[in-house]
Amino acid sequence: MDFSPRNGLRPRPILDRRHQSTVPGVYVAGDLADAPVIKLAMHQGAQLARQIWDQDLRATSTDDPELLDLLIVGAGPAGIGAALELLDTPARIRVLEKDRPFSTLRAFPAGKVLFAEPRTLPTPGGLPFEDGRTEELLAQWDRFLDHRSLPLERSELLGLEPTGEVILAQTAQGPVRCRRVLLATGRRGQPNTLGVPGEQRVRYQLADPAQHSGQRVLVVGGGDSAVEAACDLAEAGADVTLSYRRAQLSRPKPKNKARIQDASERGLLKLELGTTVTSVGAQSVTLARGDQPVEVVSDEVLVQAGARLPTPFLHKLGLRAEGERTWLQWAWMPFFALLVYAFYVLKSGTDYDAELGMHVAKKAFFPFGPGQPLDFVPDLLHVDLGFREVDGAFWGTALYSGLILVFGLRAMWRYRESRVQRWRYLSLISFQLLFLFGIPELLAPAIIHAGGEGGWAWQLFGGDRAWKLYSITVPWPLNIWALIDAPAWMATESAVTAGLWLAVAALVSFVGIPLFVWRHGERFCSWACGCGGLAETLGDLWRHLAPRGADAIKAEWAGRAIFFLAIPTTALLVADAWGLLWHGLGSVKGFAGWWYPLMVDFWLASVVGVALYPLLGNRVWCRFFCPLRAYMELLARRFSRVGIQADDTCISCGECTRYCQMGIDVESYAQQQRPLDNRSSSCIQCGICIEVCPMDVLSIGEAGAPVQIQVGAVAPGPSSCRR
């Protein structure tokens, strides 16, 4: 089962919010940082260079003529954009390029049209860029660069040696001292290979489709590049077969899908979908469709399956790639898990053991159980505050709220450019501090204490039971006790008072939640929920680790199973509370009352859900196990009005997918213009995909509508991406 967070994403170096790599002073831009569109890469390089100069270098500029301010490695779109941005500043810069400027574009097929998109972005340094054929644009750019006299050096970067504030760059022409390095080398020189016998006959670039007229060509791949190459070859007179491992072409943009479908229907090319290459012969290629071999006669084999990260080169420079962990990170994960386990054992609260003469943890697990090394800790946490006695449950909730406050403020700063995100985090913080801590744990107990036994507050809560307020803000089925405990004290209280909390809980769960879902989708998870509060604040550090792919989506059924199990469990406990349970079911009720809180509330919701943050992201509980989210999803699939929209301008950078905490392939929805709502996904409408979109264009709209992306203004930042 593949639960990899890298599923469906192009690998890239680990970058911080400013695009700085794991080597201090070394930044990454362009295709290597997932800016796959030419003008966007130029703009990203220019913005990053300006940011480095303005924030890091300008105020501390030196007079050392041998010390460069910025060494730009790579003269592709990002590197040229960076150089042009600083050309008219006092910054001392140099561009290293082992080939010619724009060498990747020079390998494009002859006649390929380059589009100057997105239209709203300016081209750095006045570089002329209008829609045009590759060879015409390159000739124009060569003349422009000659006129601007870029400090270009034909050389190759061999290594980096950071020494304090100075980085020593080893190049093929000798050492270069610099203060900062901008890596803009791209990844086109590392194509994904087939790994099959005979691969030496395979080509990875298409120079001129016309040269293959009359030849039999097999194209391997299912993205836009493969589809465009297959269609160009077919229109140039080649006999083309396209092989793709999936049963459908889902990745290409709609216009390319329409183009290849039209070519296939007209007999210009043949589609071999659901096939993989097993071997390449001298005059033919063997494909496999399941266990069935398919023989394709071919004069040429062209693989267009994308490019891989130049990991050996990055490692030589000291950079780490996403998904790579250090020994310290591996050591941290079990420590974090043990810390979470201890926290929730103590947070379960205490019972007084008269025989031992001390308070014992309700979850008396090692090492906090009687006679165990830390058995004294639960008793230490039992404190009389005057208006109430508190135990580990109170202190745990206080610490939980403090974490949400601290990391919530951090997240508000991180997404400070977004008014919506600021309000969302303020909502999560306020909801936790007021409704999940302040009122039930402090205010209500203080009022009950002040009114004394028999007062209106005492009557309302059936004694010192302010925790009944949680039935309003933590609804069933997340809190099954909201529907179970209320009538248990009918013998001693009035029927009206006894049924009040049951009625309130039922209204919240069966009226309030459906109405909320109808209007707001599953936003309760990302705007108000206590579990979601910790996930969105502390857990935001690991949101990019969400598992992706078909296996992860299938695993979401676990939450639905728990939801359906919550129904008979609740029914048994309610019947027992009302005295309606047939005595023969007593043991069943006892098992249900023990099993559900232990396995669901303690292990899955508390320990497992949080402990796996550093491994599987911040939404392990919410996505895979939470019965409330499963309940809301079932409702949302039928009548929610919320969705995310897009048109055909997606640039396929993958940022939206990379940071989706629910593991949704948002990029695919945008590419295909498929409706992205709860009819087709587990989206909780947190809106982070909107914030990290490099074009700042995704928006929440009506459910069932196509995803709509409108090219708009670009926010400040190296790639206008808020990560």
Side-chain angles (χ1 to χ4, degrees):
M1 181 174 286
D2 185 3
F3 261 42
S4 170
R6 309 266 64 81
N7 193 323
L9 292 177
R10 294 201 312 167
R12 71 176 188 183
I14 297 174
L15 304 176
D16 67 10
R17 189 172 179 272
R18 298 181 64 224
H19 276 219
Q20 185 173 212
S21 72
T22 50
V23 177
V26 178
Y27 296 77
V28 181
D31 191 38
L32 200 57
D34 269 353
V37 177
I38 295 172
K39 187 186 277 191
L40 181 65
M42 290 180 177
H43 184 74
Q44 184 187 80
Q47 282 195 316
L48 187 52
R50 174 60 65 177
Q51 168 192 283
I52 294 170
W53 172 246
D54 288 344
Q55 298 181 18
D56 298 353
L57 303 177
R58 183 196 296 270
T60 58
S61 182
T62 71
D63 296 327
D64 185 349
E66 300 298 322
L67 179 62
L68 295 177
D69 289 307
L70 181 64
L71 177 65
I72 301 169
V73 184
I80 294 297
L84 291 175
E85 180 69 19
L86 297 185
L87 200 56
D88 297 325
T89 70
R92 291 184 293 274
I93 65 172
R94 186 182 304 173
V95 183
L96 285 187
E97 172 57 56
K98 64 180 180 179
D99 199 344
R100 298 175 60 190
F102 303 111
S103 59
T104 296
L105 304 184
R106 297 181 195 278
F108 281 5
K112 181 178 177 64
V113 176
L114 302 182
F115 295 98
E117 295 177 343
R119 309 291 180 187
T120 55
L121 283 183
T123 307
L127 184 73
F129 191 5
E130 300 292 338
D131 295 352
R133 296 184 181 277
T134 304
E135 51 270 32
E136 296 169 355
L137 279 172
L138 288 173
Q140 190 177 17
W141 290 348
D142 285 341
R143 292 192 297 270
F144 179 85
L145 296 182
D146 288 341
H147 175 71
R148 293 302 307 271
S149 301
L150 280 185
L152 181 66
E153 179 180 311
R154 292 287 292 274
S155 187
E156 182 179 2
L157 181 65
L158 302 177
L160 295 174
E161 299 176 19
T163 56
E165 290 297 315
V166 176
I167 299 173
L168 183 63
Q170 299 292 346
T171 76
Q173 300 298 324
V176 176
R177 295 169 61 243
C178 56
R179 302 172 66 196
R180 298 290 186 273
V181 174
L182 177 57
L183 197 61
T185 54
R187 66 176 81 204
R188 294 280 180 169
Q190 303 286 327
N192 287 322
T193 58
L194 298 176
V196 299
E199 192 159 14
Q200 62 272 16
R201 195 165 73 83
V202 170
R203 295 177 181 267
Y204 296 96
Q205 293 180 346
L206 177 61
D208 186 353
Q211 294 177 354
H212 300 277
S213 178
Q215 292 184 339
R216 297 162 297 186
V217 182
L218 173 67
V219 179
V220 180
D224 286 299
S225 297
V227 167
E228 290 173 3
C231 291
D232 289 344
L233 285 164
E235 291 166 3
D239 181 1
V240 179
T241 300
L242 176 73
S243 168
Y244 181 48
R245 58 191 176 90
R246 299 190 186 277
Q248 293 182 340
L249 287 170
S250 57
R251 292 170 50 205
K253 294 182 176 65
K255 60 183 180 182
N256 280 331
K257 286 180 67 176
R259 183 184 178 193
I260 197 167
Q261 287 170 358
D262 177 67
S264 176
E265 292 170 359
R266 291 164 52 199
L268 295 179
L269 54 78
K270 182 180 180 181
L271 298 177
E272 290 287 359
L273 302 180
T275 62
T276 56
V277 178
T278 58
S279 65
V280 179
Q283 295 295 324
S284 66
V285 176
T286 302
L287 309 177
R289 181 180 285 113
D291 297 330
Q292 185 68 33
V294 178
E295 199 76 13
V296 177
V297 178
S298 66
D299 302 307
E300 296 284 354
V301 180
L302 175 67
V303 174
Q304 298 280 276
R308 63 184 183 273
L309 198 66
T311 305
F313 173 67
L314 296 178
H315 284 174
K316 186 167 65 173
L317 301 182
L319 278 69
R320 289 191 291 115
E322 289 182 337
E324 296 179 352
R325 298 184 186 272
T326 65
W327 70 266
L328 192 60
Q329 290 172 317
W330 282 113
W332 158 251
M333 283 192 283
F335 173 76
F336 180 77
L338 289 173
L339 197 65
V340 170
Y341 164 78
F343 172 80
Y344 279 108
V345 169
L346 296 174
K347 191 177 182 296
S348 65
T350 61
D351 289 321
Y352 184 74
D353 189 314
E355 184 177 339
L356 295 174
M358 62 187 297
H359 290 87
V360 178
K362 291 180 179 178
K363 297 287 187 298
F365 300 149
F366 184 85
F368 302 103
Q372 294 174 356
L374 299 179
D375 62 353
F376 61 90
V377 176
D379 198 49
L380 287 178
L381 296 176
H382 194 276
V383 179
D384 188 349
L385 298 181
F387 64 93
R388 66 168 294 194
E389 292 185 358
V390 299
D391 58 10
F394 173 85
W395 300 116
T397 304
L399 178 58
Y400 192 98
S401 302
L403 289 172
I404 290 179
L405 173 62
V406 171
F407 285 94
L409 293 174
R410 177 187 180 277
M412 288 179 69
W413 176 253
R414 187 175 195 176
Y415 302 110
R416 60 190 177 277
E417 295 152 351
S418 168
R419 182 178 63 86
V420 172
Q421 292 302 320
R422 292 198 304 271
W423 276 108
R424 187 170 75 88
Y425 281 105
L426 182 61
S427 171
L428 287 167
I429 294 170
S430 301
F431 204 87
Q432 178 65 35
L433 294 182
L434 290 176
F435 300 110
L436 298 176
F437 178 62
I439 294 176
E441 299 292 341
L442 295 174
L443 182 60
I447 293 174
I448 293 172
H449 178 77
E453 186 172 345
W456 68 268
W458 185 276
Q459 295 290 333
L460 178 63
F461 292 103
D464 191 8
R465 296 153 60 85
W467 54 264
K468 291 305 300 180
L469 284 164
Y470 284 115
S471 64
I472 300 176
T473 53
V474 187
W476 182 92
L478 180 58
N479 173 21
I480 64 170
W481 307 106
L483 295 179
I484 292 170
D485 190 77
W489 30 277
M490 285 187 64
T492 58
E493 305 293 338
S494 70
V496 173
T497 304
L500 172 63
W501 291 108
L502 177 61
V504 168
L507 282 172
V508 170
S509 299
F510 304 125
V511 178
I513 289 296
L515 287 175
F516 184 93
V517 169
W518 170 70
R519 184 65 183 86
H520 297 290
E522 295 184 37
R523 282 181 180 155
F524 180 85
C525 297
S526 57
W527 282 74
C529 179
C531 307
L534 193 68
E536 294 286 352
T537 53
L538 174 65
D540 185 66
L541 299 169
W542 299 289
R543 66 180 305 119
H544 60 288
L545 298 178
R548 298 182 177 87
D551 291 335
I553 293 174
K554 291 176 184 176
E556 293 172 7
W557 271 98
R560 295 163 206 164
I562 292 174
F563 166 65
F564 287 115
L565 285 172
I567 297 173
T569 300
T570 305
L572 280 169
L573 296 176
V574 167
D576 180 64
W578 283 85
L580 302 176
L581 188 67
W582 176 51
H583 65 85
L585 292 177
S587 60
V588 177
K589 182 272 300 182
F591 174 76
W594 167 84
W595 169 84
Y596 195 93
L598 177 65
M599 298 306 299
V600 178
D601 295 344
F602 178 74
W603 282 113
L604 293 179
S606 301
V607 178
V608 172
V610 178
L612 290 182
Y613 278 4
L615 185 62
L616 295 176
N618 61 331
R619 285 290 180 174
V620 176
W621 159 251
C622 175
R623 180 182 177 190
F624 297 115
F625 304 118
C626 180
L628 177 60
R629 197 202 66 79
Y631 170 46
M632 291 192 296
E633 184 178 67
L634 291 173
L635 296 172
R637 289 188 176 212
R638 285 159 176 79
F639 51 69
S640 174
R641 297 171 54 187
V642 180
I644 296 178
Q645 303 176 335
D647 63 21
D648 62 353
T649 60
C650 174
I651 61 172
S652 305
C653 68
E655 290 298 286
C656 51
T657 296
R658 188 182 305 276
Y659 291 108
C660 177
Q661 61 187 332
M662 301 301 284
I664 301 168
D665 188 359
V666 183
E667 177 188 344
S668 176
Y669 282 91
Q671 289 174 330
Q672 302 302 314
Q673 297 179 260
R674 290 184 291 149
L676 175 52
D677 51 45
N678 292 122
R679 293 172 175 83
S680 58
S681 76
S682 57
C683 178
I684 55 175
Q685 293 87 41
C686 67
I688 296 299
C689 61
I690 298 172
E691 303 310 317
V692 301
C693 175
M695 300 310 301
D696 196 21
V697 295
L698 287 168
S699 62
I700 294 179
E702 291 292 325
V707 187
Q708 180 177 357
I709 307 176
Q710 299 174 350
V711 178
V714 178
S719 66
S720 73
C721 171
R722 298 193 176 102
R723 280 275 176 173

